[in-house]
Amino acid sequence: MSLSNVSWVDIPSSGRVALDQVAIRLHPVDEVAIAKTPLQAGTVLESSSSDAVTIRQFIPAGHKIALRALAAGEPVRRYGQVIGFTTAAIAPGEHIHSHNLGVADFERDYAFGVDVTPVAVVAESERRTFNGYLRPDGRVGTRNMIAVISTVNCSAHTSREIARAFTDEILAEYPNVDGVVALAHQSGCGNRIGGEDYALLQRTLAGMAVHANVGAYILVGLGCETNQIADLIRNYSLDAGNGLKPPPSLNIQDEGGIRKTVQAGVGAIRELLPEVNRVARSPQPVSELIVALQCGGSDGWSGVTANPALGLALDELVRQGGTGVLAETPEIYGAEHLLTRRAISEAVGQKLVEKVRWWEDHARKHRMEIDNNPSVGNKVGGLTTIFEKSLGAVAKGGNTPLTAVYDYAERITERGLVFMDSPGYDPVSATGQVAGGSNLIVFTTGRGSVFGFKPVPSIKVATNSEMYRRMEDDMDLNAGEVLEGKTLEAVASELFELMIRVASGEQTKSEAQGVGESEFNPWNLGGTL
């Protein structure tokens, strides 16, 4: 149904009320509607297109109502797509949730490329601009920061101490420098040189080192770790990154301990500050934005309000020549066919399917099920299965063609909508997207994720007004207004304008509170020796 006609009303605890006043049926074939407000047992939902439905037990807002009788084992649809299979017979008006809905294998029609719609790209002379930092290689940053990159967990504390030495008072002398950030982590040793974890970590650290938001960086190690600084520099040619001189490199053991290493690191950054400060913001085309599309703490409204609004904003960004990066492979599971049908070639579609198959094998290997992905908060918010969560998540990708599929932290070079293989865990996924080149993050949330990610700004979009009002200090935009009469198009337009302002330097709510250093979390496959 059209969300533009949806509005909130005062609902009686029982009695008769029109279905479309208190619930949303998203597609004509759906067996469920989504409660917009808590519904009490005995309330009768009337509809001109179907029989009246009597609510049989209390149903929380954001949760699913059965619209017809369902036998055990029947598929249940939302968005016109399968979200699961009944595990028991269900009567009209019953609450459909984890107690009576589960997952099972079912055929997905990958039909590579059949839904590709050409993009009406805006002429370069008419494209929107933002104020960004132009780098020597032509890429554009949305922030201008100095990174202290730890090669191993053993140098994490030292790296943080170096970064903390640069207070707001010190940085006030350098108005074009947006901060000094420590990129510390819990890996870097205990794995095989050249192994999968080793390669993943090095690719991630190298991606952060040469990121468009990083004006300069230093590397800090312990000295005896597996992930040697010299190997990282050699493997990824970091001796010529960002057009600057080779990065200062410090080993705690060589420097004579933590205190001396901190002193040396502070001295190195003091030398870099004037050079980084010489780069000022200038008007740059919006086509230089690479936006990481993230959702976390999702609820029953994520796929109705914030995610489709982000998808519309992405469609406009792609029209402007920009790029959106969808990720979290376990959170497209059961909905991947909606992306393969938009793949620009069979090769792109097949690569996405290969990633999905890898995750199926990975889950079996570790005695897990991909349906374990929905969290406690997801389920309290109305989501039941991974299929349902995934169908809402892919809405962040809008309607634009899928142009490429990347490995984790791989350098993003294609424009348009691309996909990056990653876990569904937000910090790990976002770390890969940023290491691949994303210079802006839009993060939708229904339960209230307080996410930030230095050195890239993260815009948080609330899916519902109740949470937005409760956590307004942390939320940048309220997409819950879609449920109160505002159109998806209007919210998407607001979001697109906010993306441009943030890319130009406006602080997000997470940046204003200093959030974002601890969220750097490279993917560790678990091969610790």
Side-chain angles (χ1 to χ4, degrees):
M1 65 175 294
S2 171
L3 295 183
S4 61
N5 297 321
V6 172
S7 60
W8 291 96
V9 293
D10 292 326
I11 307 302
S13 59
S14 61
R16 307 182 76 85
V17 64
L19 171 66
D20 62 3
Q21 285 187 297
V22 299
I24 298 173
R25 189 182 192 182
L26 295 168
H27 193 279
V29 304
D30 289 354
E31 287 85 6
V32 299
I34 314 305
K36 289 166 45 183
T37 191
L39 295 175
Q40 301 295 333
T43 303
V44 179
L45 308 183
E46 297 180 325
S47 171
S48 59
S49 60
S50 61
D51 294 336
V53 172
T54 301
I55 300 300
R56 293 176 178 266
Q57 65 269 121
F58 173 76
I59 297 179
H63 285 240
K64 295 174 290 297
I65 310 156
L67 296 180
R68 67 169 179 84
L70 295 161
E74 274 200 68
V76 175
R77 294 171 182 83
R78 176 181 177 177
Y79 310 107
Q81 301 287 331
V82 174
I83 62 169
F85 296 84
T86 58
T87 56
I90 299 174
E94 278 196 49
H95 183 202
I96 294 185
H97 200 38
S98 302
H99 61 288
N100 54 16
L101 189 68
V103 299
D105 290 335
F106 71 101
E107 283 286 325
R108 270 95 87 185
D109 184 4
Y110 290 137
F112 302 112
V114 299
D115 292 336
V116 170
T117 302
V119 177
V121 179
V122 175
E124 288 190 27
S125 60
E126 299 175 10
R127 289 180 185 173
R128 299 287 300 277
T129 62
F130 72 102
N131 289 322
Y133 296 99
L134 179 63
R135 301 303 181 190
D137 64 1
R139 292 182 302 154
V140 180
T142 60
R143 296 293 183 268
N144 190 28
M145 302 186 78
I146 296 176
V148 183
I149 300 177
S150 176
T151 59
V152 65
N153 179 250
C154 304
S155 59
H157 172 78
T158 303
S159 298
R160 292 189 180 106
E161 287 299 299
I162 293 169
R164 286 171 185 152
F166 292 90
T167 62
D168 291 341
E169 291 74 21
I170 292 174
L171 293 177
E173 300 178 31
Y174 306 95
N176 293 328
V177 177
D178 293 308
V180 178
V181 59
L183 299 178
H185 53 90
Q186 297 180 3
S187 186
C189 207
N191 45 34
R192 181 172 66 84
I193 295 175
E196 283 186 288
D197 272 330
Y198 176 92
L200 272 177
L201 178 61
Q202 284 209 339
R203 187 163 72 228
T204 303
L205 297 181
M208 299 303 296
V210 300
H211 194 277
N213 283 19
V214 175
Y217 63 96
I218 68 172
L219 299 171
V220 182
L222 176 62
C224 59
E225 64 270 18
T226 299
N227 185 34
Q228 288 285 302
I229 288 178
D231 293 338
L232 176 63
I233 291 174
R234 182 181 62 254
N235 291 344
Y236 287 90
S237 301
L238 295 184
D239 50 358
N242 275 4
L244 301 175
K245 58 187 178 182
S249 303
L250 305 171
N251 276 319
I252 296 171
Q253 292 165 350
D254 294 340
E255 296 295 327
I258 291 175
R259 191 180 307 278
K260 292 175 182 177
T261 307
V262 171
Q263 291 172 348
V266 169
I269 289 178
R270 285 191 180 277
E271 290 185 13
L272 291 171
L273 277 168
E275 190 169 7
V276 175
N277 190 59
R278 278 197 286 272
V279 181
R281 290 187 182 272
S282 60
Q284 301 295 329
V286 167
S287 57
E288 295 306 315
L289 289 181
I290 304 175
V291 181
L293 312 172
Q294 276 289 326
C295 56
S298 300
D299 69 353
W301 298 122
S302 294
V304 179
T305 62
N307 288 354
L310 174 53
L312 290 174
L314 170 67
D315 289 343
E316 178 57 26
L317 178 65
V318 172
R319 287 185 65 248
Q320 297 278 341
T323 304
V325 188
L326 195 61
E328 302 178 294
T329 316
E331 294 184 12
I332 64 158
Y333 190 70
E336 71 274 10
H337 59 290
L338 300 182
L339 295 173
T340 62
R341 296 171 69 91
R342 288 158 48 194
I344 62 169
S345 69
E346 184 172 346
V348 169
Q350 286 284 10
K351 189 171 182 181
L352 182 63
V353 175
E354 289 168 8
K355 299 301 182 188
V356 170
R357 297 291 175 256
W358 183 92
W359 277 96
E360 289 177 330
D361 183 64
H362 184 67
R364 284 191 293 268
K365 188 182 300 182
H366 292 278
R367 299 180 182 179
M368 300 184 296
E369 295 179 0
I370 298 180
D371 193 44
N372 296 149
N373 174 285
S375 69
V376 171
N378 293 158
K379 293 185 177 184
V380 171
L383 296 175
T384 303
T385 68
I386 186 56
F387 299 158
E388 181 180 18
K389 184 177 181 179
S390 294
L391 287 163
V394 298
K396 301 193 300 291
N399 299 294
T400 193
L402 179 68
T403 61
V405 174
Y406 291 99
D407 291 332
Y408 184 84
E410 185 180 357
R411 175 78 173 268
I412 297 162
T413 56
E414 294 292 328
R415 295 182 184 265
L417 173 66
V418 304
F419 186 86
M420 178 174 285
D421 183 35
S422 81
Y425 185 40
D426 307 321
V428 177
S429 179
T431 296
Q433 289 170 306
V434 172
S438 297
N439 53 14
L440 185 65
I441 299 170
V442 179
F443 190 111
T444 66
T445 180
R447 303 298 294 171
S449 293
V450 290
F451 187 84
F453 194 96
K454 295 178 181 179
V456 173
S458 176
I459 297 170
K460 291 191 297 300
V461 183
T463 73
N464 65 87
S465 296
E466 189 279 327
M467 185 273 288
Y468 176 82
R469 286 189 286 267
R470 179 163 32 90
M471 300 184 67
E472 195 166 353
D473 290 343
D474 302 283
M475 299 295 123
D476 297 288
L477 187 71
N478 179 20
E481 291 181 330
V482 168
L483 297 171
E484 299 161 3
K486 184 174 284 190
T487 65
L488 276 170
E489 291 77 11
V491 174
S493 179
E494 288 182 27
L495 176 56
F496 186 72
E497 297 301 323
L498 178 59
M499 288 161 58
I500 291 175
R501 297 199 308 273
V502 169
S504 299
E506 180 178 309
Q507 276 199 326
T508 64
K509 296 289 183 67
S510 60
E511 286 182 298
Q513 297 185 73
V515 181
E517 187 177 77
S518 297
E519 283 75 0
F520 179 70
N521 196 342
W523 188 7
N524 188 326
L525 291 171
T528 304
L529 301 176

